[in-house]
Amino acid sequence: MAEIHLIGRAASPGLAIGPVTMLTAAVARRTASDDPAQEAAALRAAIEGARAEIAEQIKTNQGEVADILEFQVAMLEDDALADPAYGVISEGIAADHAWRLALDVEIAGYRAAEDEYFRARAADIVDIRDRVLAHLSGVDTVARIAGGSIVAADDITPSAFLAADWSRGGAIALAAGSPSSHVAMLARARGAPMVVGLGPLSWNGQPPALALVDGDAGTVIFDPEPETRRLFEHRMVNAAQAAVDAGRLESARTADGQRIAVLLNIAAPEDLAGLDPAICDGIGLVRTEFLFEASQGLPDEDAQYAVYRRILDWAEGRPVTIRTLDAGGDKPIAGLTIDNERNPFLGLRGIRLSLARPEVFRGQLRALCRAAVHGALKVMLPMIAVPSELDRASALLDAEFTSLRAEGIACARPPLGIMVEIPAAALLAEAFGAAFYSIGSNDLTQYTMAAARDIGAVADLNDTGNPAVLALISQTVDAGRKRGVEVSLCGDAAADTRLTTTLIATGLTTLSVAPIAVARLKAAIAKVRS
Ligand code: PEP
Ligand code: MG
């Protein structure tokens, strides 16, 4: 699927990446009476119910949010808004139908206004319309937005915006909308990037899964190519660096003095450009598949060696964990992964693919053994499900190390660990002879919850904080303790500061995050008290 670039107007600054949630209006059904007096009473009660509900919300909000809600209360208290609806009801039309007809005329009037200020208020009237309709039908018509998602819609109401948890990231991409709308004000206040006026959001076939929103430039890219995404993530890192906080250089410690190692997740040496290695305790995850992705054809042993060496040189002796190729799933690589695999997340990905293509795997293992002489390299295998996969990979690593030595090439045999990202590996972690465990919470969560990591509609279920996922994490930490090997966590949950206390409570003492997240994570760790 080719990526889709859309240009709109910047409405709230910042950069965001996330799964796409398409907002469509819910339609509620209601059984009407044929008595106009009863219908008028039902409308009056629904308007009063909506007004009371908003008044209640005002009590728990301040500033701009409260002002916006007060504007809606004032609209609902103005008889002029409902008068046309009562007029139609007296002619025998049901209350919900009458209210919708009257408000739609009002909304059309606002949308056609000369003045942008009035055009920008249309979403508030839509909000009022839907809230009263919800009271009339007894059904909640406010669209639910999963935290962290990119909301793609024609327009979005303040209620829908306020119902979402924006502390988890996310952004808004609107076909219509206005930078001076109430939602845009709310987005700016909550730090959610927003782009409006993108024009019709129409797709051929499947709606997009992922989007990159640039709230500074006013652009949105749907279904980005891996390289576009990588460059965008790099820009996010640089943008965050502009707001660098001095605490980044301090080692992380909890409020009661426990030392927590904070490592970096990267995809290429370029991700380290301009970064001081003193901000971290090493590199916890190098996703090598992006190296394969960007090159023309698969990179040869020398090309890989040069890249791995650059990363080790940057780390100045700190540990560096490089993961062998994790192609497949959401990371297809032309010429390597299986085209049109029916269920790629459950197919030939990660270590399974490497073992099926030993000629590619051997080249990577050789490059890693050669790089290992330049620093504290550790090698990690992705998508391990059973101990025999580790054993086979370990035998291949031994064989490549032996043959390099026989060829007189400088090399070392790095320790070999596994990612714990399949529930089977977490449940039986102790049975693996791994030199270390690194928990891949992104995949561990999706496989435990049966909720894909890239489908916005199930984003709420894709929750690492779910007790079932946390139990698997604890079990892995216990296995590491019993076997005396290190356990780290390198999935996105490591950067989710709402989970920091919980993750440390499982016994984890090593977290690996994108460079952008280091300062925030260290600040969150400093607040943890056991
Ligand atoms: C994970 O699954 O948590 C992980 C770190 O690996 P990736 O996100 O590259 O699949
Ligand atoms: Mg993974």
Side-chain angles (χ1 to χ4, degrees), residues 323 326 331 349 419 421 442-443 453:
R323 181 173 73 183
D326 184 24
K331 294 168 278 200
R349 67 170 285 209
M419 290 208 63
E421 50 187 346
N442 303 336
D443 279 312
R453 56 198 277 181

PDB file of all heavy atoms in Angstrom, residues 323 326 331 349 419 421 442-443 453, ligand 2:
ATOM      1  N   ARG A 323      19.743  -6.778  18.203  1.00  0.00           N
ATOM      2  CA  ARG A 323      18.790  -7.860  17.941  1.00  0.00           C
ATOM      3  C   ARG A 323      18.968  -8.361  16.517  1.00  0.00           C
ATOM      4  O   ARG A 323      19.094  -7.553  15.588  1.00  0.00           O
ATOM      5  CB  ARG A 323      17.358  -7.331  18.130  1.00  0.00           C
ATOM      6  CG  ARG A 323      16.319  -8.397  17.898  1.00  0.00           C
ATOM      7  CD  ARG A 323      14.934  -7.907  18.254  1.00  0.00           C
ATOM      8  NE  ARG A 323      14.429  -6.954  17.276  1.00  0.00           N
ATOM      9  CZ  ARG A 323      13.251  -6.346  17.401  1.00  0.00           C
ATOM     10  NH1 ARG A 323      12.502  -6.562  18.468  1.00  0.00           N
ATOM     11  NH2 ARG A 323      12.837  -5.503  16.476  1.00  0.00           N
ATOM     12  N   ASP A 326      14.431  -9.053  12.764  1.00  0.00           N
ATOM     13  CA  ASP A 326      13.050  -9.382  13.157  1.00  0.00           C
ATOM     14  C   ASP A 326      12.118  -8.978  12.019  1.00  0.00           C
ATOM     15  O   ASP A 326      11.249  -8.139  12.176  1.00  0.00           O
ATOM     16  CB  ASP A 326      12.681  -8.644  14.454  1.00  0.00           C
ATOM     17  CG  ASP A 326      11.290  -9.019  14.952  1.00  0.00           C
ATOM     18  OD1 ASP A 326      10.806 -10.115  14.607  1.00  0.00           O
ATOM     19  OD2 ASP A 326      10.680  -8.227  15.685  1.00  0.00           O
ATOM     20  N   LYS A 331       6.741  -5.781   9.788  1.00  0.00           N
ATOM     21  CA  LYS A 331       7.985  -5.303   9.188  1.00  0.00           C
ATOM     22  C   LYS A 331       8.383  -6.173   7.991  1.00  0.00           C
ATOM     23  O   LYS A 331       9.344  -6.936   8.068  1.00  0.00           O
ATOM     24  CB  LYS A 331       9.097  -5.300  10.244  1.00  0.00           C
ATOM     25  CG  LYS A 331       8.832  -4.287  11.356  1.00  0.00           C
ATOM     26  CD  LYS A 331       9.746  -4.451  12.535  1.00  0.00           C
ATOM     27  CE  LYS A 331       9.283  -5.524  13.454  1.00  0.00           C
ATOM     28  NZ  LYS A 331       9.793  -5.482  14.822  1.00  0.00           N
ATOM     29  N   ARG A 349       8.145 -15.063  11.012  1.00  0.00           N
ATOM     30  CA  ARG A 349       8.796 -13.790  11.337  1.00  0.00           C
ATOM     31  C   ARG A 349       9.881 -14.011  12.391  1.00  0.00           C
ATOM     32  O   ARG A 349       9.922 -15.047  13.050  1.00  0.00           O
ATOM     33  CB  ARG A 349       7.789 -12.722  11.798  1.00  0.00           C
ATOM     34  CG  ARG A 349       7.109 -12.996  13.118  1.00  0.00           C
ATOM     35  CD  ARG A 349       6.319 -11.790  13.632  1.00  0.00           C
ATOM     36  NE  ARG A 349       7.177 -10.741  14.163  1.00  0.00           N
ATOM     37  CZ  ARG A 349       6.823  -9.882  15.130  1.00  0.00           C
ATOM     38  NH1 ARG A 349       5.617  -9.942  15.663  1.00  0.00           N
ATOM     39  NH2 ARG A 349       7.650  -8.956  15.556  1.00  0.00           N
ATOM     40  N   MET A 419      14.487 -12.436  23.329  1.00  0.00           N
ATOM     41  CA  MET A 419      13.369 -11.549  23.626  1.00  0.00           C
ATOM     42  C   MET A 419      12.249 -12.423  24.156  1.00  0.00           C
ATOM     43  O   MET A 419      11.991 -13.506  23.618  1.00  0.00           O
ATOM     44  CB  MET A 419      12.894 -10.827  22.369  1.00  0.00           C
ATOM     45  CG  MET A 419      13.897  -9.809  21.904  1.00  0.00           C
ATOM     46  SD  MET A 419      13.119  -8.458  21.014  1.00  0.00           S
ATOM     47  CE  MET A 419      12.073  -7.712  22.231  1.00  0.00           C
ATOM     48  N   GLU A 421       8.628 -12.290  24.166  1.00  0.00           N
ATOM     49  CA  GLU A 421       7.508 -11.530  23.584  1.00  0.00           C
ATOM     50  C   GLU A 421       6.404 -12.455  23.101  1.00  0.00           C
ATOM     51  O   GLU A 421       5.420 -12.010  22.521  1.00  0.00           O
ATOM     52  CB  GLU A 421       8.010 -10.607  22.468  1.00  0.00           C
ATOM     53  CG  GLU A 421       8.876 -11.266  21.429  1.00  0.00           C
ATOM     54  CD  GLU A 421       9.477 -10.284  20.440  1.00  0.00           C
ATOM     55  OE1 GLU A 421       9.034  -9.127  20.378  1.00  0.00           O
ATOM     56  OE2 GLU A 421      10.399 -10.685  19.703  1.00  0.00           O
ATOM     57  N   ASN A 442       5.572  -5.035  23.470  1.00  0.00           N
ATOM     58  CA  ASN A 442       4.636  -4.742  22.373  1.00  0.00           C
ATOM     59  C   ASN A 442       4.023  -6.045  21.858  1.00  0.00           C
ATOM     60  O   ASN A 442       2.805  -6.181  21.747  1.00  0.00           O
ATOM     61  CB  ASN A 442       5.353  -4.051  21.212  1.00  0.00           C
ATOM     62  CG  ASN A 442       6.042  -2.787  21.634  1.00  0.00           C
ATOM     63  OD1 ASN A 442       5.665  -2.183  22.622  1.00  0.00           O
ATOM     64  ND2 ASN A 442       7.067  -2.380  20.902  1.00  0.00           N
ATOM     65  N   ASP A 443       4.888  -6.996  21.547  1.00  0.00           N
ATOM     66  CA  ASP A 443       4.369  -8.264  21.042  1.00  0.00           C
ATOM     67  C   ASP A 443       3.784  -9.113  22.160  1.00  0.00           C
ATOM     68  O   ASP A 443       2.765  -9.768  21.970  1.00  0.00           O
ATOM     69  CB  ASP A 443       5.472  -9.026  20.288  1.00  0.00           C
ATOM     70  CG  ASP A 443       5.623  -8.482  18.874  1.00  0.00           C
ATOM     71  OD1 ASP A 443       4.585  -8.318  18.198  1.00  0.00           O
ATOM     72  OD2 ASP A 443       6.752  -8.190  18.457  1.00  0.00           O
ATOM     73  N   ARG A 453      -1.273  -4.900  17.606  1.00  0.00           N
ATOM     74  CA  ARG A 453      -0.646  -3.651  18.033  1.00  0.00           C
ATOM     75  C   ARG A 453      -0.903  -2.506  17.079  1.00  0.00           C
ATOM     76  O   ARG A 453      -0.630  -1.358  17.415  1.00  0.00           O
ATOM     77  CB  ARG A 453       0.859  -3.869  18.211  1.00  0.00           C
ATOM     78  CG  ARG A 453       1.532  -4.399  16.968  1.00  0.00           C
ATOM     79  CD  ARG A 453       2.880  -5.019  17.284  1.00  0.00           C
ATOM     80  NE  ARG A 453       3.935  -4.002  17.358  1.00  0.00           N
ATOM     81  CZ  ARG A 453       5.202  -4.292  17.603  1.00  0.00           C
ATOM     82  NH1 ARG A 453       5.570  -5.539  17.799  1.00  0.00           N
ATOM     83  NH2 ARG A 453       6.109  -3.348  17.631  1.00  0.00           N
TER      84      ARG A 453
HETATM   85 MG    MG B   2       8.552  -7.528  19.036  1.00  0.00          MG
END
